[in-house]
Structure formats: C-alpha cells, structure tokens
Amino acid sequence: MRKKALIASAITLALAGTAWAVARPDQAVRVGAGLAAHHVCSMTFVGHQDPDAIFRELVTPMLGEAGAKLLSVHVDRDRQSVSVDGLVSTLATASYTPGYGCRLDLPGNEPLAADPHRRPDTDDGFAPGSLVTTDKPAVAQALDRVFAERPGEAPKVVKAVVIVKDGKVVAERYATGYGIHSPLISFSVAKSFTNAFLGMLALDGKVDVTAPLNAPEWRRPGDARAAIRIEDLLRMQSGLDAEEAESPFSMVAKMEFLHGDMAGYAAAQPAAEAPGKTFDYTSADTVLLDRLIGGHVGGGAAGLREFAHRRLFDPLHMGDVTMEFDGKGTFIGSTYVFTSARDYARFGLLYLNDGKAPDGTRLLPEGWVNWSRTSALGAPYGAGFWTNDGPSDVARYRVEGGFPKDGFFASGTMGQRIYIVPSEHLVITRFGYSAPPNYGIEDDVRLIRAAIEAYR
C-alpha cells in the first residue's frame, strides 16, 4: 500500500509552502496537524504512553520525516489537551474527556459529560493476572519473528500479541512499556465493533440489514443514494463517491480531521455508481452506520457508551474500553476504539463462538457471524471483516501460508488485527505500528500456522 507515503509527501510539500500548484495546500497542513494532535492526545491520555514515543513511532511514519519536523507538538497535562503548531500558528488542538477519549476541537462540537469510571478486568478463567508465556518452542520462535526488527526491512514496531486457544490465553508477548492492561488503538478494527452493534440491534428486531439506510439527506425524490442498503455499507459496496485514498485531499482524510460532523459530511457525498456493484473500501460507509446505530440506541454518546458496556463489553468480560465520538456525538466506529490486547481477543471470541457470550447468551443473531465472514464481489472482505473464503489472490496467499480458509479477521492500518480461526478454536490479536508494504502480515501468517500446529 502506498497510502501513507503519498499522504506524507503531500503534507510535506504543503508544510514547506511549495505545493500551491496542488489544490488547497492549507488543507493538507490541517489534516497532518489534526492527525498528529488526535493520535498523540489519545495515546497519551487513553493509552498512557509517552507522547514523544507516540509521535516518533505512530505519527511520523504517517506524515513523513520532513513533514513531522515542521510540526511542533505541545502536551498540556493540566488541561488534558494536545496542540500542534506549524511554522507560524497553532493548526490543531485535541482535548481529552474521561470516558470518551480525545477529539479535535472543531466548530460545532457538542459537549461531552466526563465519565471517569473505569471497569477493571474480571477473573473469569480467561487468563491469570500475570503474563502467560509459551512452552512451545515453535510458537516462541514465531513470536520472536513477529517482534524482531530486521535490517533492510520495513519497521514493524509490534506492541502486543495474545494467543487464545479453546477460550484460554496460552501465550502472549508485549513490547517494553506495554502490558496486559495497556489500551491499544484499534484503527479499522473498530469497523468490526460497528458490525457487532448492528448485530445486536438486528437481534432486537430494530435493524434489517437488507433495508435502505434511509439517511435524511437522501430522501428527496430521485436521489439515487436512497437505494443504498445497510448491507451495502457494511460490505463496502455503497457506490458513494467517498474515496479513502493516498492523499490528505481525499474525502476520508477531510472527514476525519476537518469535520466535526463526520457522518453528515459522509452523507453529503454524491453517488458514483449504483450500490452493490463494486467493492470500494471507505470509512465513510461505516460512520453512516454508526449514526444509524446511535439513533436507534438514543441518548447520544452517553447512551451508546452505556449500551455498549451493558450489551457487549460486560457480557464478554471485557475490562476498560474507550470509544471515541465526533463533534455530534456519533461513535467513530470506523477508527477509534481503545482497549487491551486481551480484551480485543475476548471480542474475537464472540465471533469464534458464533455470536455467543462465554455463558452461552446469544449476543448476535444466529447466522450473523457466518454472514459477516462471507466475502462478496470477489473481494477478500465480508461485512466488517476481511476473509479467506473468496477467490482473491491475497486470500489464496494467506491460505497457502497456513491461515485456514475458514479464517477471517478484523484489521486496522499499520497492523492492528484480530485473527479468528473457528476450525482451530483459535484467536490471535496482534497490535503495532507496522510499515508498508505488508504491515507485518507475513510474519503473522507464520505465527498462525505455528500456533495451529503447536496447540492441536
């Protein structure tokens, strides 16, 4: 993937003041500054990590070395905020609200009521309170390879790996400064949480995925977007002209870092083609679904947070989970969930166990998981999960490498992943800040194969 490199070059040119031939170079500057402010804020105040390390390991690879050097980041621990200055002025500020993480300070943001309550992990036999090491030499060697930085290869910067077999943690490893309770950023792993919320609403009879989204912006007679179904959005085949591309000028970059009402901005995008024809991955599809979810649950950000804990996180025995919201109180379920690697594995177990909680309570409709992991339009993607079951070359590569055909996974840019293998009763979570071209997935596939062979 070239996305991060091209974003970096465009931002660097704009920051250097040499991109006036490109449309709106100030926009690239603001996107880069917004990205820096948000990510440093979240991983400082939610993730409890060193802001300098976060800027170096997470932000700089996205902006490029030259672009990052032209930004100055200031962390105000008293006000729990992060500001980013350019050459002459402050370009972006992000503020932390306990319980709700960070969001950029943008015009029209609605206030959030702080909720500092933290939910501790529960002792349910899933894992002890101490680190679980492996006694399997092949697994230890595969873990060494996942974490090792090799000269001449792209950086991997892996922070956490947890292996779960038959519902129990059998091995885990963490980078220095990270541990079993460290909150980790999800990026697009959050899209699979959006899938879960929709599944719960479908179980309640409140959502029919075959029905149109019925966005208020699309209700004028003759609007082609009125035909877009909930399923089309989940499967990334909406037909919207909502590019998630290799540029800070792309629609999704503007949505994430320049607009407080992300779903409203997504809904304003025109149709490029009829829905259901083409797989076109875009976070715009997901935030539209998140607005729908919030409308059904009610109560704004606080209402969805309460619903998420009561109906999903608590039944799964997940500990502290932070969900971030935009300026209108819509869950940013395309990108921003924070929890531990163990708790991401607990979430993966929900899908391994056909939508049931550890006590057998059904949280997702019967058949929902199978439907979610079934690819469409020849793409290696189902409904909020990447899949191995289809005809694509990348799916074939994973299967040939030892990741079984029934496997599927939640995935975020830079190597955040929850791998699920039902036939082997296996879940593996892997979180880091890995670089292109493959974001460490080759080593992950080797780890999956080693775990399958070792724990059978």
Side-chain angles (χ1 to χ4, degrees):
M1 291 177 63
R2 300 160 26 245
K3 180 176 181 179
K4 297 296 182 281
L6 293 180
I7 288 177
S9 63
I11 290 172
T12 300
L13 286 170
L15 286 168
T18 60
W20 290 104
V22 180
R24 296 296 304 275
D26 60 307
Q27 181 175 286
V29 174
R30 291 165 58 211
V31 166
L35 182 152
H38 174 269
H39 292 0
V40 172
C41 180
S42 290
M43 288 308 299
T44 298
F45 296 111
V46 180
H48 313 298
Q49 296 300 316
D50 174 66
D52 291 336
I54 291 301
F55 189 81
R56 181 177 65 253
E57 296 177 349
L58 177 59
V59 175
T60 297
M62 292 183 167
L63 302 185
E65 291 283 350
K69 288 179 180 178
L70 294 172
L71 296 177
S72 179
V73 177
H74 307 278
V75 177
D76 188 330
R77 294 190 179 273
D78 292 332
R79 294 185 177 181
Q80 295 185 304
S81 67
V82 171
S83 59
V84 175
D85 294 346
L87 299 178
V88 296
S89 64
T90 298
L91 300 171
T93 303
S95 299
Y96 170 71
T97 301
Y100 296 92
C102 290
R103 67 178 179 182
L104 291 169
D105 297 346
L106 294 169
N109 277 5
E110 296 176 358
L112 293 168
D115 181 359
H117 177 68
R118 300 182 68 85
R119 291 168 168 81
D121 291 339
T122 57
D123 183 11
D124 61 346
F126 173 74
S130 55
L131 182 73
V132 178
T133 57
T134 183
D135 60 355
K136 308 291 186 181
V139 173
Q141 291 172 8
L143 284 168
D144 289 344
R145 185 175 182 88
V146 167
F147 278 82
E149 301 291 351
R150 296 187 289 272
E153 295 188 12
K156 290 181 289 184
V157 200
V158 178
K159 299 302 182 184
V161 173
V162 175
I163 303 174
V164 178
K165 175 71 173 180
D166 294 327
K168 309 291 183 185
V169 176
V170 294
E172 58 190 337
R173 187 176 295 182
Y174 300 92
T176 301
Y178 290 77
I180 61 176
H181 300 295
S182 297
L184 300 158
I185 191 169
S186 67
F187 288 123
S188 288
V189 166
K191 292 179 171 71
S192 302
F193 284 73
T194 294
N195 170 290
F197 295 145
L198 283 167
M200 291 187 292
L201 291 174
L203 186 68
D204 293 344
K206 294 181 177 179
V207 164
D208 176 0
V209 296
T210 66
L213 180 69
N214 194 29
E217 296 90 344
W218 303 346
R219 293 174 186 165
R220 295 173 62 179
D223 194 323
R225 299 171 298 178
I228 298 173
R229 303 170 302 160
I230 294 169
E231 179 176 5
D232 292 323
L233 294 157
L234 268 171
R235 293 193 179 279
M236 302 291 177
Q237 54 190 40
S238 68
L240 287 176
D241 187 5
E243 184 183 33
E244 183 158 350
E246 305 120 343
S247 168
F249 307 106
S250 78
M251 178 268 155
V252 167
K254 291 184 282 186
M255 178 186 78
E256 290 182 342
F257 301 112
L258 302 181
H259 291 270
D261 182 4
M262 294 189 188
Y265 185 69
Q269 304 311 305
E273 64 179 8
K277 290 183 175 295
T278 304
F279 172 75
D280 190 6
Y281 186 91
T282 174
S283 293
D285 285 0
T286 308
V287 298
L288 286 167
L289 293 171
D290 292 316
R291 186 175 67 173
L292 175 76
I293 292 166
H296 280 294
V297 171
L304 184 55
R305 187 169 184 265
E306 189 277 332
F307 173 84
H309 280 279
R310 175 172 51 85
R311 293 287 302 275
L312 184 64
F313 304 149
D314 292 347
L316 296 181
H317 305 292
M318 296 174 71
D320 203 52
V321 183
T322 297
M323 302 158 56
E324 291 188 341
F325 296 80
D326 73 5
K328 292 296 183 182
T330 297
F331 169 46
I332 310 174
S334 60
T335 320
Y336 298 134
V337 172
F338 299 80
T339 194
S340 69
R342 282 187 175 184
D343 277 349
Y344 283 120
R346 293 178 192 266
F347 178 77
L349 284 174
L350 172 67
Y351 287 82
L352 184 78
N353 295 324
D354 190 36
K356 294 180 181 179
D359 66 359
T361 301
R362 179 161 289 285
L363 304 184
L364 303 176
E366 188 172 355
W368 181 268
V369 171
N370 234 13
W371 175 80
S372 298
R373 58 175 287 264
T374 301
S375 61
L377 299 179
Y381 196 79
F385 289 88
W386 296 88
T387 70
N388 286 347
D389 72 320
S392 71
D393 290 341
V394 292
R396 187 181 306 112
Y397 158 79
R398 291 192 292 261
V399 172
E400 290 174 351
F403 184 7
K405 197 169 184 63
D406 71 322
F408 58 109
F409 60 108
S411 181
T413 188
M414 299 186 77
Q416 298 77 35
R417 303 188 190 106
I418 305 173
Y419 296 106
I420 303 161
V421 188
S423 60
E424 300 292 339
H425 308 285
L426 182 72
V427 171
I428 298 178
T429 59
R430 182 266 201 213
F431 282 73
Y433 309 139
S434 302
N438 61 21
Y439 302 92
I441 199 165
E442 291 180 355
D443 294 335
D444 293 2
V445 170
R446 293 188 185 197
L447 175 62
I448 292 168
R449 182 177 62 193
I452 289 172
E453 294 172 353
Y455 294 111
R456 270 182 176 159

